[in-house]
Amino acid sequence: MPDHELESLVIAAKAVDRAASTSALEALLTRVYPRLLGYALKLTCNRCLAEEVCQETMVRAITGWRRYRPVRGRAGVSFQAWLFRIATNVYRDIRRKSARTASAGRPAPGGGGLAASAEDEAIHSIEREAMMEALAALPEEQRAVLVLRTYHDCSYREISEIVGCPEGTVKSRLHYAVLALREELRRRGVL
Amino acid sequence: MRTRGRQPTQGRHPRVDLLEAAWMPAGFHLDSVPAEVRDHLEGCPECRAFLDELVATRRLAGALPAEAEVSLLEVQAAVRRAVAAAGRQAAVAQPNWRERLGFVLMAGAMLGAQALLLELLEPAGFMAFQVALNWLAPFLFYIIFRLDNRVTDKRAGET
Ligand SMILES: [Zn+2]
């Protein structure tokens, strides 16, 4: 998922003084928010929960901004991967703590709050709905890996950094997730 | 990306290779499949059907957009809320240097007063002072914490 323009903006934002760096971070967050919310929506399958995850992710990103090291050669982590890692941890924390655990895996109606705009709306909305339901039916760890690979073009290494497990585990989770997704879509009659 | 470093198992269905090929970030391309797997596909309708289903699954997955559709105003409001919340957290987490200095000075003054009274008072009088101080300590702590909270709340409200 390398977004080279974003990464150069991140490096520029880190290079300026502290006050300017914070306002540059706000601009970066504004830019990356739709992607972050897209990830959180598919991870949580719940619009309210996804917004809560994004909010807490941004708070942690702002407070931890000074500790963040952008990609330089083989060191560091991309800004988006860093945010996604925080979001994944925030969601885990919420799942652990919250009494709303029961609703956290429930798919939101209307394609999980992803607003539709395509011309063939009817077909698309059925497919979206089925897809969100199928995603929601996957185990949480498999879902995160599948979403990162499918929608954010993450490499296995990036996914392993985001979800905090070895690359081999990422591969096997992806395999199980794809097979489970296929079964879920079959069961819903869209495949 | 080619699936390097692993050869499809001879005589068995190369399902893992097919799954990896179907789920490449750039989408499925037959060219990205190892030649051995392509040969196998030609003679195995089961694997072709499996691959077709994987490609169809991937296509359906594409029905969901990567980015959420959200207006710029909503995004800006969300970022502003996060900045404000982070500011409040930072204010609560970091007492400023004046507070720290105040506590140090207070502790120094208490120690000085005790040393002075130890010189001035008879042992019985000093003991009585100590007892009174012990009794008062919880109240003093309570007042200090209340003051500290008021200062912190005021600063948090300003961010
Ligand atoms: Zn076969």
Side-chain angles (χ1 to χ4, degrees), chain A residues 1-4 6-7 35 39 68 71 74 76-86 88 144-145 148-149 151-167 170, chain B residues 25:
Chain A
M1 64 172 169
D3 180 341
H4 298 298
L6 179 70
E7 291 310 310
R35 250 179 279 175
Y39 173 59
Y68 166 66
V71 179
R74 287 184 63 82
V77 60
S78 79
F79 182 66
Q80 189 172 304
W82 181 59
L83 282 184
F84 282 8
R85 184 167 65 196
I86 299 175
T88 308
V145 169
L148 288 166
R149 184 73 171 171
Y151 299 97
H152 302 284
D153 295 343
C154 291
S155 65
Y156 290 128
R157 193 179 75 85
E158 279 175 317
I159 299 174
S160 83
E161 279 170 3
I162 293 169
V163 302
C165 69
E167 280 183 45
V170 168

Side-chain angles (χ1 to χ4, degrees), chain A residues 95-151:
Chain A
R95 286 292 300 255
R96 233 176 271 140
K97 281 187 220 155
S98 171
R100 284 172 299 161
T101 309
S103 70
R106 197 186 303 151
L114 293 162
S117 61
E119 286 171 3
D120 46 352
E121 181 55 42
I123 300 166
H124 260 82
S125 67
I126 292 167
E127 288 182 348
R128 274 196 199 125
E129 190 110 359
M131 193 61 209
M132 277 311 282
E133 284 175 7
L135 270 182
L138 298 183
E140 207 177 296
E141 314 80 48
Q142 289 180 18
R143 188 161 66 229
V145 169
L146 184 87
V147 169
L148 288 166
R149 184 73 171 171
T150 310
Y151 299 97

Side-chain angles (χ1 to χ4, degrees), chain B:
Chain B
M1 187 186 81
R2 280 183 174 276
T3 43
R4 279 172 292 173
R6 176 161 40 81
Q7 296 298 315
T9 316
Q10 291 295 320
R12 289 176 64 182
H13 302 294
R15 295 286 161 92
V16 174
D17 295 86
L18 293 174
L19 201 145
E20 279 204 1
W23 229 261
M24 290 308 294
F28 173 72
H29 295 287
L30 198 59
D31 303 343
S32 67
V33 179
E36 302 86 350
V37 178
R38 276 204 301 265
D39 293 344
H40 177 95
L41 271 177
E42 275 177 25
C44 182
E46 239 181 277
C47 278
R48 280 205 302 275
F50 177 72
L51 180 63
D52 286 347
E53 271 200 354
L54 290 180
V55 172
T57 305
R58 180 71 196 256
R59 189 194 59 76
L60 277 170
L64 294 179
E67 294 191 359
E69 282 187 20
V70 55
S71 75
L72 183 61
L73 279 178
E74 284 176 88
V75 175
Q76 286 169 336
V79 173
R80 270 200 301 273
R81 275 199 307 276
V83 170
R88 280 195 297 276
Q89 280 188 12
V92 173
Q94 295 173 348
N96 69 10
W97 66 269
R98 273 183 295 191
E99 280 171 48
R100 287 175 191 170
L101 187 67
F103 278 109
V104 170
L105 286 178
M106 190 185 279
M110 293 289 276
L111 204 63
Q114 293 236 5
L116 191 67
L117 288 168
L118 190 61
E119 283 297 313
L120 296 178
L121 296 176
E122 292 296 316
F126 184 71
M127 284 302 290
F129 173 75
Q130 284 288 353
V131 168
L133 200 63
N134 286 346
W135 186 77
L136 274 172
F139 298 100
L140 284 173
F141 276 120
Y142 178 71
I143 291 164
I144 289 167
F145 280 123
R146 281 294 297 269
L147 279 175
D148 181 45
N149 283 343
R150 278 176 62 181
V151 171
T152 312
D153 288 348
K154 187 163 169 281
R155 271 197 288 122
E158 285 163 1
T159 50

